Amino acid sequence: MVEIQLTNTRSRSKERLVPIDPQNLRMYLCGPTVYDRAHLGNARPVVVFDVLYRLLRHVHGARHVTYVRNFTDVDDKINAAALARQQQGDPRPLEELIRERTEETIGWYHADMDALGALRPDHEPRATDYIPQMIAMIEDLVAKGHAYAAEGHVLFDVRSFPDYGQLSGRSVDDMIAGARVEIAPFKRDPMDFVLWKPSDAELPGWDSPWGRGRPGWHIECSAMSEALLGRSFDIHGGGIDLQFPHHENEIAQSCCAHPHDEFARIWLHNEMLQVEGRKMSKSLGNFFTVRDLLDQGIPGEVIRFVFLMTHYRKPMDWTADKAREAEAVLRNWHIFSENVQPADEPDSIVVDALADDLNTSAALTRLHALLKEAMDAGSGTFSELRRKFLASARLMGLLLPGSEEWTKPSKVQAEIRETLSALGIALQQHRRAKNYDRADAIRNQLLDLGVKVQLQGTDCSFSWITPHNPSEAQQLLEEIKAITLEEK
Ligand code: AMP
Ligand code: ZN
């Protein structure tokens, strides 16, 4: 069996993945807080862990892998988004507005991540469905002396867990110096973090031994991972920004609640995504969502390819140049694998590259080499290599069935072409009937839409640029159709 090596943040070295239960390899990834569209950075962990999920399924068998990614659907940012709607005059109760907002955002998230070719995890728990488990865990932590209630809050007592900070390799005092910790009079130590907080009558809340309130963010993942994966599982992942405090706090909660279990064996973190060399931020004007790119006509597969060009442990830079390069490569690859049946087994060098701490860029290099090898080979080997190539690309979530659609002219593009050609015939008829005013009017109307008309004898041809954005393309089609209708 292929040996998988992964860099464990905790040991800061590559470790062999030895499944706790070979029949059920278990992985948890911290998912999004569902108050808005996913930005491009949020998509990076999704793609990285999708490649790992595909690799695990390949090596261990799809039935022997369980992947969980949560939705954080209780959060102050969600409340704020719903409150803003109320202030804008929406008369509905906050609860309904929150429900609508989280449902809508989860729908967007699914659509956007599907477009990147990411498989849906086996379980996608919503935090609000696991409140009783969170309350039980907090009660257990209080009973064991690791947490205390104060003024309607329950706080985790960081000094009660000597290993706190081990994941980041830092002491509590170092972390205090570097962190923006919230000072509150009811905290015993500034590093103590919230497990439960009170909700006023307006905000979402649940009854608990400490009054009506809501959970802190960190306890959500500890409770949901235990409920769905058990007290010890194989891999826990997320962006490197989650290492501290979120993951340190998850470890503190889970290991203090269950001191005889492992919690997560390997901690895997992806580095951050930047845009054109700069941190993505709203104030720099380089902040965009996955949907923004898809709407500009950049296919999800192209976004995925650009991500795979950089190793997950290195910062990655999204650039327009890389997207163009990826698009050109993928167009070629789609032509190369058209009407090909994938081989049963992917190329072993591709598998080995991925098994070596997800070396996706080496895997892509190998795919380029396979293609070249196939082109230089005799016909028998050519088909065999093509089939291997396709199976290997699919292991990385590329060239998936149906993904070639974006390389073909779209339905709208084809319809624009047809409508124009009908209009061309009408235009020539007007000219033959010496109805020059009408012919010129059509030409000018088209010119206003950015469509140039060339007339040569009885020939009529058009040149135009179909907008990348599907809704703009649709609008162009409607406007051309409106001219056609005037003809009838
Ligand atoms: P959030 O909804 O902010 O908790 O983020 C969801 C996921 O996206 C987490 O795993 C984050 O670590 C990850 N993430 C957020 N920003 C970036 C970024 N710029 N690059 C890579 N990953 C990110
Ligand atoms: Zn988490």
Side-chain angles (χ1 to χ4, degrees), residues 3 17 46 50-51 101-102 120 129 138 149 178 210 255 269 276-277 307 334 352 356 358-359 396 410 428 430 467 481:
E3 188 175 291
L17 173 67
V46 174
D50 181 64
V51 173
R101 182 79 186 184
T102 54
R120 300 261 179 106
D129 290 333
I138 298 171
W210 317 282
C255 293
H269 290 104
E276 309 281 351
F307 282 13
H334 275 292
D352 288 347
D356 178 15
L358 299 181
N359 195 340
M396 302 178 75
S410 72
Q428 291 293 49
H430 286 306
K481 275 189 179 162

Side-chain angles (χ1 to χ4, degrees), residues 29-35 39-46 49 72 77 109 217 237-243 246-247 269-274 279-280 316:
L29 176 67
C30 295
T33 303
V34 285
Y35 65 100
H39 64 63
L40 193 61
N42 295 142
R44 192 174 190 202
V46 174
F49 286 86
T72 293
K77 287 191 222 101
Y109 192 79
W217 171 36
I240 191 75
D241 57 326
L242 300 187
Q243 180 184 321
H246 185 53
H247 289 163
H269 290 104
N270 64 273
E271 255 295 345
M272 295 286 103
L273 173 140
Q274 304 185 324
K279 188 177 152 100
M280 186 163 63
M316 81 150 274

Side-chain angles (χ1 to χ4, degrees), residues 40 44 47 116 273-274 293 298-312 315-330 360-361 364 398:
L40 193 61
R44 192 174 190 202
V47 171
L116 300 179
L273 173 140
Q274 304 185 324
L293 289 183
I298 300 180
E301 193 178 19
V302 168
I303 301 174
R304 183 182 188 93
F305 191 103
V306 171
F307 282 13
L308 299 181
M309 288 159 79
T310 305
H311 191 261
Y312 76 93
M316 81 150 274
D317 198 18
W318 171 270
T319 67
D321 274 350
K322 280 190 193 170
R324 272 190 290 273
E325 182 190 333
E327 180 167 338
V329 170
L330 281 170
T360 48
S361 62
L364 290 178
L398 298 168

